[in-house]
Amino acid sequence: MDTLVDVVATLSAVAEVTFYKIDEAYGNYVKNSTAYELVVLKYGNILLLNLIGYGPIGYAKLLFNSASKYLFSKLLTLPWFKKSVDQEVAKVVESLETSLIKKTPEVEDFRTVPEHGFSESQITTMLHALADIDHTEWENGKVSGAVYHGGEDVINIQSEAFKTFCVANQLHPDVFPGVRKMEAEVVSMVLNLFNAPESGVGGTTSGGTESLLLACLSAKVRGWRKKGITSPEMIIPVTAHAGFDKASYYFGIKLHHVPLDPVTYKVDLKKMERHINGNTVLLAGSAPNFPHGIIDDIESIGALGQKYGIPVHVDGCLGSFIVAYMEKSGFELPPFDFRVPGVTSISCDTHKYGFAPKGSSIIMYRNSELRADQYYINTEWTGGIYGSPTLAGSRPGALMVGCWATLIKMGDDGYIASCKDIINGARLMKSRIKKEIPELEIIGDPLASVISFKSEEINIYELADKLSKRGWHLSALQKPAALHMAVTRLSAKVIDELVDTIKECVDELKGSGPAKGDTAALYGVAGSIKTQGVADRLVEAFLDTLYKV
């Protein structure tokens, strides 16, 4: 073995050909290397792949940001900083508790199980009182996404489904055969909507995050079983859902976030390919993504998957029944489903634009082998042979029954009508903002239900706060600072009112000076390297507040 310089030079030369030849060269070196040389090779290889994937400048920025965040997070724990930080966090916690912990005099606080049970009429009265506590006006369509209301008739049939199957558990198909039948039919219906081949299979989950977790788990397990990959990596757009980051955290999969094309706001395919190496177990794209409502170039990502033999997941959770029905509704979309060669899995939230009860999503695979890689099987447990298809064990069968009832209640005609209303509403919003509010810029060319916009002339977070005071709650984004509206059946009816309100707020903000609102302050903290640790603590405080009585 020659010197380290020779090794690096050799690897660099090989890297100019392909990443896979790097791995081949790496394997050849390993056969004849000492322990010390193996360590050098391992970290040299990691360094080289990062340099190629991110580029020298990009990798230097990545290292600098990571080091800076770590340094400042440690500095904030020092006594002379910590006291000040604690005081500011305490103020925010107090504000959070005031805004989130809302009560009504008609319902007492139950900190322990009551000594005597309440009557049905008493409980019904309390339920209605709790439902009437002052809250965001989702009923009037003033919320971005969040509530996907299919209509009172759909709510009624869902309530009947829950009443009939409230004790059902999908873990026991022998006890609840009807639930098994309905679950299988839901999966079949959704597979059909996304043009799965005859070999296509799927499963139900508790929501989009679990569907993404399972897709990543399947890819990791498949990489280990088929290729012996012990250090898995996946490559996703920076706009991909945070569920991928969660999967990376849970399952120990190294994650590469790929930047966007500055014009289309789709993932930069050249930069995505630069990250591919022998440890890559998954590529992903969105249809559409949550931040900007942009559909990535799924055909090209699928081609990359085929070229390198890597699974490709399409996150269709947000698009769900909107993107699935756009073609039937007369709207054109670029190919994004199983008709695209290379796409191996797709996730779809039936509880969004499918209007099913919250807590239902579908994970789909091109074949049963891919689905089997998400299963957990234990034949050695003293409690008996155990097998679980998803992350959960027991699962509420009533929710899946409600999903089944919703799909057959809505039917193709119902979903087509809904799709037309929502897409027309979203395009009206996009058109009016472009024509009437020059201070705002639509991000990319969103084709589905999500419209995102930013501004170089006003503080976009101040706009969010002004809209909030008028009852409108849009989603705040960062990198770049922006807002978005996920149009629903409810909000599609009030788009003109929303745009008029946005215009008024923008006029008020022009030349108004520095930002003062809560949203601007929060994202100012989150966007600063120097206060990274504070932002983490604020989010932690928010989560803690959810469980305070």
Side-chain angles (χ1 to χ4, degrees), residues 76 81-92 537:
L76 291 175
F81 289 123
K82 187 175 184 300
K83 182 178 180 180
S84 177
V85 170
D86 288 346
Q87 290 175 345
E88 292 303 314
V89 170
K91 292 179 183 177
V92 175
R537 287 188 59 183

Side-chain angles (χ1 to χ4, degrees), residues 401-414:
V401 175
C403 180
W404 178 86
T406 302
L407 266 62
I408 63 172
K409 169 66 177 173
M410 290 290 298
D412 264 344
D413 52 355

Side-chain angles (χ1 to χ4, degrees), residues 5-22:
V5 174
D6 294 327
V7 173
V8 174
T10 302
L11 289 174
S12 298
V14 175
E16 294 178 1
V17 184
T18 88
F19 287 109
Y20 284 83
K21 289 190 177 181
I22 292 178

Side-chain angles (χ1 to χ4, degrees), residues 192-193 325 328-329 407-408 410-418:
N192 182 268
L193 288 176
Y325 272 96
K328 289 183 178 180
S329 303
L407 266 62
I408 63 172
M410 290 290 298
D412 264 344
D413 52 355
Y415 284 121
I416 289 172
S418 170

Side-chain angles (χ1 to χ4, degrees), residues 160-169 176 178-179 182 396-399 401:
E160 184 64 28
F162 191 90
K163 179 180 178 181
T164 307
F165 287 91
C166 65
V167 300
N169 187 344
F176 305 104
V179 174
M182 286 181 274
L399 288 179
V401 175

Side-chain angles (χ1 to χ4, degrees), residues 99 162 212 417 467:
S99 63
F162 191 90
L212 293 178
L467 288 170

Side-chain angles (χ1 to χ4, degrees), residues 439-440 455-461 463 505-506 509-511:
E439 295 84 3
L440 302 181
S455 178
E456 298 294 332
E457 299 185 37
I458 63 168
N459 186 299
I460 205 73
Y461 299 135
L463 175 59
C505 292
V506 168
L509 282 170
K510 287 189 292 188

